[in-house]
Amino acid sequence: LCPGQCVAGPSCNYVDFKNYIYQVGDFASIPSTTKAFMTRLAAGFFWVGVYVTLNTLFPISLFGDEKFQDKNFFVKLFYMDMAAQGIRARYYIGWTFPDTANIASGQTFNGYDKETGEPKFDRFYGVDVFGCELSVLSVPITESWNHGTHMWLKRYIYFRLNGCLLYTSPSPRDLSTSRMPSSA
């Protein structure tokens, strides 16, 4: 396992890790990881560039400056959005680079794409940037952000509680008949 994944959250199931170590199941024959590795590495360096550029052009330290306070509302809004994008890029860097180590090892191999026949290396990953940035709904955003931890919590906490995150013992009110009027 990549040490960086310990910081970012759980990354894979023990069964998958065991199959990877003993090279059985999906891991009996792992194809070349070069293309997927280089793509993810390039994405990591892209986010480093975004982080450096945006944090240089839009530093948060200017928020308290009097000149900044005198700016137009829309200029301030644009500036704050760019500063937030720069901060978010730091997290993308932190999840993208550990993914490269997992991809290079072949541990993220997830079979072949049915349409193209290309190998998929998405068994687990840290973040789906496009899912975070382009989604208009909150559920896909939370599924995409820190994906490894999200899947771990979903699999080992949420599903074990039968989809209910609140545990309450049944009250007499819950066991009684419905209080809804018959016309409802």
Side-chain angles (χ1 to χ4, degrees):
L1 289 174
C2 178
Q5 290 291 353
C6 296
V7 175
S11 57
C12 70
N13 292 324
Y14 175 73
V15 172
D16 290 336
F17 182 69
K18 184 177 161 188
N19 289 343
Y20 168 73
I21 294 296
Y22 293 109
Q23 296 180 339
V24 296
D26 290 344
F27 301 105
S29 177
I30 300 172
S32 173
T33 62
T34 304
K35 181 179 177 184
F37 168 78
M38 295 303 284
T39 301
R40 198 66 171 171
L41 186 65
F45 282 115
F46 169 79
W47 287 113
V48 167
V50 169
Y51 174 74
V52 169
T53 302
L54 291 180
N55 284 301
T56 302
L57 296 175
F58 303 98
I60 294 176
S61 60
L62 290 182
F63 286 175
D65 189 46
E66 285 188 32
K67 289 181 182 178
F68 180 76
Q69 299 303 323
D70 294 336
K71 300 275 187 195
N72 178 335
F73 171 76
F74 294 106
V75 171
K76 288 193 270 189
L77 186 65
F78 175 77
Y79 187 96
M80 287 188 273
D81 183 52
M82 291 296 105
Q85 291 285 355
I87 292 169
R88 205 163 42 243
R90 174 177 29 190
Y91 293 99
Y92 294 155
I93 294 165
W95 282 314
T96 303
F97 282 123
D99 285 350
T100 59
N102 291 322
I103 291 170
S105 71
Q107 192 177 2
T108 61
F109 177 62
N110 198 20
Y112 294 91
D113 188 290
K114 292 180 181 176
E115 294 177 11
T116 63
E118 292 285 319
K120 298 187 305 181
F121 292 93
D122 61 354
R123 185 175 297 267
F124 57 88
Y125 51 90
V127 66
D128 174 13
V129 175
F130 292 112
C132 289
E133 295 294 330
L134 301 178
S135 181
V136 295
L137 302 173
S138 62
V139 172
I141 291 171
T142 58
E143 289 175 351
S144 302
W145 185 266
N146 201 352
H147 187 265
T149 300
H150 166 78
M151 291 307 296
W152 185 87
L153 288 170
K154 184 177 180 180
R155 191 175 296 127
Y156 295 109
I157 304 297
Y158 185 71
F159 286 157
R160 287 186 181 184
L161 296 174
N162 293 325
C164 178
L165 293 178
L166 298 174
Y167 177 77
T168 57
S169 59
S171 70
R173 182 180 65 182
D174 295 333
L175 300 175
S176 66
T177 59
S178 173
R179 295 177 296 186
M180 293 292 292
S182 60
S183 63

